[in-house]
Amino acid sequence: MPNASTASASTPDVVARRRAFGLRLRQLRTRAKRTQASVAAEAGVDRAFYVNVENGKNNISLDKIFALADALEVDVAELFRGLVILPADPEPHS
């Protein structure tokens, strides 16, 4: 298993982590009864970028993670609390 410093952007582990983070972000946003657009605007990120983060498709910087936590009015640790990292979908065999 690759460690965090050697995992490439396309490894199953990285994909699974991004999906888990996005699901947690969505959970906190919906609990706060906020729209994707309102959280993105308050955090200073593009709405399309935010949607892709929630969907586990975009990597996100540490600065933006803190901005999202501020926009959601949660401690940054809440964004990572209880993450459930599921295995990535297996690649189809040809």
Side-chain angles (χ1 to χ4, degrees):
M1 175 188 282
N3 67 34
S5 64
T6 61
S8 76
S10 62
T11 65
D13 290 339
V14 171
V15 171
R17 290 179 194 136
R18 287 181 183 172
R19 285 183 184 162
F21 182 80
L23 288 172
R24 178 65 176 152
L25 195 58
R26 181 177 296 131
Q27 180 184 48
L28 292 169
R29 177 183 58 78
T30 57
R31 184 181 300 161
K33 298 181 181 169
R34 301 278 306 274
T35 65
Q36 291 173 329
S38 72
V39 172
E42 192 170 333
V45 299
D46 182 73
R47 186 194 66 79
F49 176 84
Y50 178 84
V51 168
N52 283 333
V53 170
E54 271 197 9
N55 290 328
K57 295 179 181 175
N58 278 2
N59 192 11
I60 185 167
S61 73
L62 185 59
D63 292 339
K64 289 178 183 172
I65 289 171
F66 275 91
L68 289 172
D70 290 344
L72 290 167
E73 298 179 355
V74 298
D75 186 85
V76 72
E78 274 302 307
L79 297 178
F80 297 94
R81 190 175 322 279
L83 284 186
V84 177
I85 301 175
L86 301 172
D89 295 333
E91 293 184 21
H93 297 293
S94 42

